[in-house]
Amino acid sequence: MRISELARRTGVSPRALRYYEEQKLLRPGRSGGGYREYEETAVHTVGHIRLLLSAGLGTTVIAEILPCVPDEATTIAPTCPELIDGLVGERARITGSIEKLVAARSVLDRLIEAGTGR
């Protein structure tokens, strides 16, 4: 499929898809006319990329993770045990961020309660 179709199916702009390609997160083929041609699996790959980006991971880390998540059903490929320590570290970082956000929300809740008398 061409980039416009992938963009439509994933809700990701063509510009973002080209960026993912620059970062080696997507590897489209090329048609005879030079157009990018994406495999069906690119839809799932873009979903994984978006999820990992939303978790705060950088594209360098994502590039290491993607080969270990070859399809929609696989959690992590058994050929990638070397990533586990790094993933544990990223999880700890995310957990710390969540805890800070929860604490900030609690402060806001108290301020709202004090200001509205609720």
Side-chain angles (χ1 to χ4, degrees):
M1 79 187 85
R2 290 205 177 149
I3 195 167
S4 59
E5 174 70 7
L6 183 60
R8 185 188 64 73
R9 291 182 58 192
T10 61
V12 175
S13 71
R15 182 177 181 195
L17 295 172
R18 286 188 291 275
Y19 174 74
Y20 298 163
E21 183 182 347
E22 287 172 14
Q23 298 301 305
K24 308 287 190 246
L25 303 177
L26 286 176
R27 291 176 168 55
R30 294 285 179 169
S31 70
Y35 292 103
R36 289 172 175 83
E37 290 287 336
Y38 295 91
E39 299 290 328
E40 185 65 29
T41 58
V43 174
H44 298 298
T45 301
V46 170
H48 290 312
I49 293 167
R50 300 298 294 173
L51 179 65
L52 295 168
L53 284 171
S54 71
L57 300 180
T59 56
T60 303
V61 173
I62 293 171
E64 292 178 26
I65 293 172
L66 284 178
C68 297
V69 188
D71 56 47
E72 193 63 22
T74 303
T75 306
I76 189 162
T79 57
C80 300
E82 70 280 359
L83 288 180
I84 299 301
D85 287 341
L87 294 174
V88 168
E90 289 296 332
R91 185 183 188 283
R93 184 189 60 74
I94 291 168
T95 298
S97 295
I98 291 169
E99 290 168 355
K100 289 176 186 174
L101 288 170
V102 168
R105 183 180 62 194
S106 293
V107 168
L108 289 173
D109 287 345
R110 288 193 301 274
L111 290 170
I112 290 167
E113 284 178 23
T116 62
R118 294 182 198 177

